[in-house]
Amino acid sequence: MATLTHDGVAGNRLRAGLLFAMVSASSFGLSGPLARGLMNAGWSAAAVVAVRVLLAAAVLLPLALSQLRGNWNLLRANAPLIIAYGLVAVAGTQLAYFNAVAHMEVGSALLIEFTAPIAVVGWLWVRHRQRPGAATVAGAVLGIAGLLLVLDVVSGLSADPIGIAWALGSMVGAAAYFVLSAHGVDLPGTVLAAGGLLIGGITLLLAGIVGIVPLRATTEQVVFADFTTPWWIPILTIGIVTAAIAYATGIAATRRLGARLASFVALTEVLAALLFAWALLAEAPRPIQLLGGTLILIGVITVRLGEPTPIPIGDPETPAATEEPPATTQPAADHQR
């Protein structure tokens, strides 16, 4: 996989990269509202995640195999990374995020997950003695203040504590994604993404079969704010659009823009998620939450500016990437989720 640090881009490459990045961020932002609709129709969070990641894996697998070019030794050498990536960055993060949106507003859950850069700063400080600079500390303070406003603690925590716990879990998973992505730089990004998606999906299916997580799906119609649709339409959309297309365009964006610029553009995922939640679920954020979200985004940007040294990183989603948040060094754009 490439070392994505080339931030000086111009012309057609810049325009194409920005387009890919916006498509990726918008696609990831759609996942939460679609998952909420499916869960309201009777799907369990684990079932939604399993179907989403397995569909995405099926779409990305041919591309991953072509990039691998029969180099199975490379796959074996990176097997621990791919397994950890699938279990934590893919299955764990998405399961936590979708459980969070089952108990709280989509925008609030995503904004909590986007505090992952602060967690990565803390991890690097404690584990690797990489002491953060003044700008990083200031960004962390802003992010924590914004988080308190998003949770509306002034009014007595309007969000469900269970939802908050799941959202914090998704934040930990997203932080783990960035830490894991800094390893295995010889492995193509699409191979890591496809392998992680496949392992995550199969693990959730097995966990559901033995009863560790509820694996429940229905054929009931899915009801959104202003329309009703057959179940298979949001299922195909959440697998192909919000996962496969989101990851593929995110990789394309990062390779054109460089990690720093791509990760800044990825912040538009928050806006996309808020707009989709408003349109599909009629979830209009309160003014204090908008202020908190603004502080979180400013804090994340400040954290990035305080950590200027880029590192090699794999392409997601979520999850690579996922769904989403950026790392404290200079990560690729995609999370998720």
Side-chain angles (χ1 to χ4, degrees):
M1 63 188 67
T3 301
L4 305 175
T5 60
H6 48 287
D7 296 314
V9 292
N12 292 334
R13 188 177 183 84
L14 173 61
R15 287 190 289 271
L18 290 173
L19 177 61
F20 280 129
M22 294 297 293
V23 170
S24 178
S26 299
S27 300
F28 277 124
L30 180 59
S31 65
L34 289 178
R36 167 70 75 79
L38 286 164
M39 288 184 286
N40 288 344
W43 286 68
S44 66
V48 175
V49 175
V51 172
R52 182 189 185 214
V53 299
L54 287 174
L55 276 174
V59 172
L60 293 178
L61 198 56
L63 179 60
L65 290 174
S66 68
Q67 290 188 341
L68 194 60
R69 294 171 181 165
N71 189 356
W72 305 112
N73 288 330
L74 179 62
L75 201 60
R76 283 191 289 270
N78 288 278
L81 170 64
I82 297 173
I83 292 171
Y85 192 85
L87 295 180
V88 180
V90 175
T93 304
Q94 292 191 37
L95 184 60
Y97 174 61
F98 287 166
N99 271 309
V101 301
H103 292 87
M104 63 192 302
E105 293 179 350
V106 171
S108 297
L110 187 61
L111 285 167
I112 292 173
E113 185 179 348
F114 259 73
T115 59
I118 299 171
V120 177
V121 169
W123 168 258
L124 293 176
W125 191 358
V126 172
R127 181 68 176 82
H128 299 288
R129 299 294 186 267
Q130 296 182 18
R131 185 174 182 176
T136 301
V137 173
V141 171
L142 286 173
I144 293 172
L147 177 59
L148 295 177
L149 292 180
V150 167
L151 297 178
D152 202 0
V153 294
V154 176
S155 302
L157 272 183
S158 59
D160 188 331
I162 296 177
I164 295 172
W166 279 116
L168 290 172
S170 72
M171 179 269 289
V172 172
Y177 153 70
F178 289 113
V179 173
L180 290 172
S181 294
H183 298 81
V185 294
D186 55 338
L187 187 68
T190 306
V191 176
L192 178 60
L197 287 164
L198 188 61
I199 289 173
I202 292 174
T203 300
L204 283 173
L205 286 180
L206 293 176
I209 291 172
V210 301
I212 297 176
V213 296
L215 206 60
R216 184 177 61 257
T218 74
T219 57
E220 297 291 329
Q221 289 196 318
V222 180
V223 179
F224 293 102
D226 297 316
F227 65 94
T228 301
T229 181
W231 64 273
W232 55 269
I233 293 180
I235 281 294
L236 288 178
T237 305
I238 206 170
I240 297 173
V241 176
T242 78
I245 291 178
Y247 295 136
T249 54
I251 291 170
T254 306
R255 290 179 174 173
R256 285 165 174 80
L257 300 177
R260 179 179 300 183
L261 179 56
S263 61
F264 273 96
V265 181
L267 292 176
T268 57
E269 181 185 338
V270 176
L271 176 60
L274 290 173
L275 293 177
F276 281 128
W278 198 345
L280 296 180
L281 306 173
E283 290 184 355
R286 294 181 295 278
I288 192 171
Q289 291 179 306
L290 291 176
L291 175 60
T294 301
L295 287 179
I296 287 176
L297 296 184
I298 293 174
V300 169
I301 291 172
T302 306
V303 164
R304 286 205 188 104
L305 294 176
E307 301 289 324
T309 304
I311 58 172
I313 183 165
D315 307 310
E317 31 78 158
T318 126
T322 196
E323 236 132 344
E324 34 94 39
T328 57
T329 46
Q330 302 304 336
D334 313 355
H335 79 352
Q336 253 295 36
R337 357 11 196 271

